Structure formats: structure tokens, C-alpha cells
Amino acid sequence: IQMQKVPEGWELRADLPPGRYEYKFIVDGEWTHDTANKEMVVNEHNTLNSVLYVSVPVTFTLEGFPNAERVILTGSFNDWKEQQLRMKKEKGAWNITIPVAGGKHHYKFIIDGQWHTDPSNPIVENDGYGNLNSVLFVH
């Protein structure tokens, strides 16, 4: 797909559904990865492809738990980091909106140090270690 010359360099605008994409550039006949993108993978030709994640904003809401002091969202979308996504209490519910790439994701809420699946989401999956995680599909 031909890119367009712009004052800052070259660009291509495309509407992509959420997901993970690998790409390369052909510059003056030579294949190259995107040197401005640090996310890369080795391809079948033993060269590098750049990786692009297209995400959409997703709002997570946890109803109830009026006496909770701290609620954290964690999951596969943030490598299960336990302090990164602190939720805010608004009108009796805990909320947070974050960008999430397309695909299948596992997540849980940490409510005052205790891990909980999402009570409003009946889709859960065993993690292989005897724990259940809530499942989210982003399209």
C-alpha cells in the first residue's frame, strides 16, 4: 500500500479493527522494519517485523463493595501488574476505562488485597493452577 509524503515523513491512514498486526516498510525497494517502533518480532525469513497493537477503550465496572477502600483491575492486558490500574469509586460503583487490544483477555479485581472474578461477567476460565479468571473478548 503506497504511503503519502507529509511534512513529518510518510504516513498511511487505515481503519483497522482491534488486534495485533505485524508490518514492514519497503523503502526504495528495500524491506525494513519500523525503526521508530521498539516492538518487534523475528519473522520466517529471520528478519524483523514491527508489531502494532490497535486498541479500543474498554470500561470496567465493579458494582457493590461500598465499604472497599481500594480496588485494582489487573489482567493479561497489563501483565497482571497489581498496582497499575487503580479504579475510582463513582456513584456506588468502581470504574476504570483503559485501552485494550483486540482478542481474548483474562482479568480480575483486587478488592482490598483479595482477588475476585467479575461478578457481572459469567464467562470465567481456569488458569491451569486451580484459579478462575474472568474472560473478556475485544472485537
Side-chain angles (χ1 to χ4, degrees), residues 1 5 16 40 60-61 68-70 82-83 89 96 109-110 122:
I1 301 173
K5 180 90 170 120
L16 299 172
M40 295 176 282
F60 291 84
T61 299
E69 294 184 20
R70 183 177 170 129
E82 298 179 28
Q83 301 299 321
K89 191 175 185 181
I96 191 169
F109 299 111
I110 306 173

Side-chain angles (χ1 to χ4, degrees), residues 56-61 73 87 94-98 100 136:
V56 294
V58 174
T59 299
F60 291 84
T61 299
L73 171 67
M87 299 179 74
W94 296 87
N95 297 287
I96 191 169
T97 300
I98 60 168
V100 179
L136 169 72

